Amino acid sequence: MLIACAGLPLILATAEVINDRRQVLSEARRNILVMLDTIHGQAEKVFQFQALALGAAEHQLRGLSNEEIRANAPSHHAVLRRLRLYADEQLGIAVFGAEGQVLVDSQRPQPLQAVNVSQRDYFLWHRDNPGTQAFISRPTRSQVDGSVIFLITRRRSAEDGSFLGVAAMIVEQRSLLQYWNQAAPDRRGLVSLVREDGMILARRPPVDPESMPRMLPQAPLFRATSNGAERQVIRGASPFDKVERLAAFRRLEHYPVNVAYGIPVDVVLAPWRRRALAYGVFAVLTSVALSWLVQLARRRTRELSDLNASLERRVQDRTAEIESGETRLRLLAREVDHRAKNALAVVQAMLQLTPKNDLDAYVRAVEGRVSALSRAQTLLSEDQWRGASLHALLQAELAPFVSDGDGEFDTRAELDGPPVLLPPAAAQPLAMAVHELATNAVKHGALSVPGGRVSISWHLMGTEDAPASALRLRWRETGGPALPGVPMGRGFGSRVLATVVRGQLGGRLSQSWLPDGLVCEMDVPLLSLRKQSEPSPSRAA
């Protein structure tokens, strides 16, 4: 019975974690396919437009020799320019002669004479392969401005079939990246445009075009394209950056090009891992609480049984005692459950708020905050959870930072205010807030230099009906490093402080960065927090 009660929360938590992971991965696969269809649709439009644009350019120049095209370049440029404007200037059109020189383009009325493409892959391919088949070049850097481009080209032939040159649609990689960044704003997502032979035309995150990047045969996406597994989400690590992703691809109609989209597995599972940690902590605490309660119940039942056996003549009196004991036991069980849930919520919030990019800093931050919670817990326990003295709480939280070395409270911290008994719902969050202020003062503020001081003052506020309904606490630092003004960015400590004061306490927070130190004021609604600390009818029933 004891083992079953202790293990049940762990079993339920494990089942929930497994089911949650399955749902997270299933949802990620659906989202990947939706995003893939969106990106695929845009790529289809780009390639469809190039076919129309190249057709229009060929119609404009049909039957003209290269000399005739060059002689009337401004007029032909105007036609190509209108096609470029129709595409929102996202695409360029150029016509090259048999020697690789530019005859006319959509960018300039007079083409650049310094540009020559006679050694580019598409030019050599069309020179050696008669016909009207389109060719998609590998990515390269433009000879004009150095931007990364790839070209969709067609051969220009004379009536006798001889080679006249190449008509090309120029696709700038940055135009694709701009659309991808809008359609899929999470930059951690992989987007790529790849020829069927594995040549990468465009990619986010980008790769250097000078290396002529190709998908390696062992790449998961390359194997999927080879097997024709279109719109099937696969899982694997990219050889380029070693990142494991969930990804899928689609082929462009009429072109040997695939569009792929993927999301890192770590990004997909990050929310699930946080929830799994919370489930685990909750299950462990619940198991411990249940084990203790079961042991207590068994011991109490045995004691009551022995007492009944030995005192049968006082059955009536002992029956009342048993009923009273069972009532107290139920109340105690409910109260322990309530306290355990509150402790779990605080620990869970603390773990979520603490940054995890540095393991040592994470451990120190968690230890400091757990110590702050422990000191507040001790004060509440000493007064049987009726409340905690504000003066004692402040002194306990500041002692680790301003102790004189012998355990005595140092005069570098001054406390000034009337006696205030904090309700339990306010003690632990306020301890966390003071701990964050003290930690910041030691790292960056008045307590980081020998002559710095911290002054904490407080007073009660209220109305005629509720004269002590709120607490105003003022933290002031003097003698610390000179402050240039309000910080440019919001630090982690400030976010934690705002979360605790506004989120957990439901109060107000203001901070002023004066030249001689930080001034922080907090208004805490004691009346509402006292009501939260009182047993609810459901807990007391």
Side-chain angles (χ1 to χ4, degrees), residues 121-252:
D121 60 337
Y122 56 89
F123 188 88
L124 297 174
W125 191 89
H126 284 302
R127 187 190 64 186
D128 300 335
N129 293 273
T132 60
Q133 182 179 357
F135 182 84
I136 301 174
S137 77
R138 68 192 180 204
T140 185
R141 293 196 179 275
S142 168
Q143 298 183 42
V144 177
D145 58 10
S147 61
V148 180
I149 60 174
F150 68 88
L151 297 90
I152 307 170
T153 60
R154 292 183 185 273
R155 174 187 171 111
R156 295 185 58 250
S157 301
E159 292 184 359
D160 60 359
S162 60
F163 180 60
L164 290 179
V166 174
M169 173 72 72
I170 303 169
V171 181
E172 295 184 1
Q173 192 178 91
R174 64 190 174 197
S175 67
L176 295 173
L177 291 175
Q178 287 173 359
Y179 176 80
W180 293 346
N181 290 338
Q182 292 175 356
D186 190 343
R187 303 297 176 88
R188 296 169 297 185
L190 165 72
V191 187
S192 60
L193 197 66
V194 187
R195 285 193 328 205
E196 286 193 343
D197 62 355
M199 177 65 70
I200 298 176
L201 304 177
R203 186 180 189 270
R204 189 194 76 180
V207 292
D208 184 9
E210 302 298 336
S211 63
M212 291 185 294
R214 290 179 178 269
M215 277 191 178
L216 300 178
Q218 65 270 27
L221 272 175
F222 189 84
R223 293 199 301 268
T225 56
S226 300
N227 297 331
E230 191 171 0
R231 293 192 88 252
Q232 295 183 20
V233 179
I234 61 172
R235 180 172 178 173
S238 168
F240 284 106
D241 51 20
K242 312 303 182 187
V243 175
E244 186 181 19
R245 294 182 174 90
L246 296 175
F249 82 94
R250 284 191 65 181
R251 189 179 187 277
L252 296 184

Side-chain angles (χ1 to χ4, degrees), residues 28-40:
R29 291 187 177 95
R30 289 194 294 270
N31 293 338
I32 287 172
L33 294 179
V34 170
M35 187 58 65
L36 173 64
D37 292 341
T38 301
I39 297 171
H40 175 270

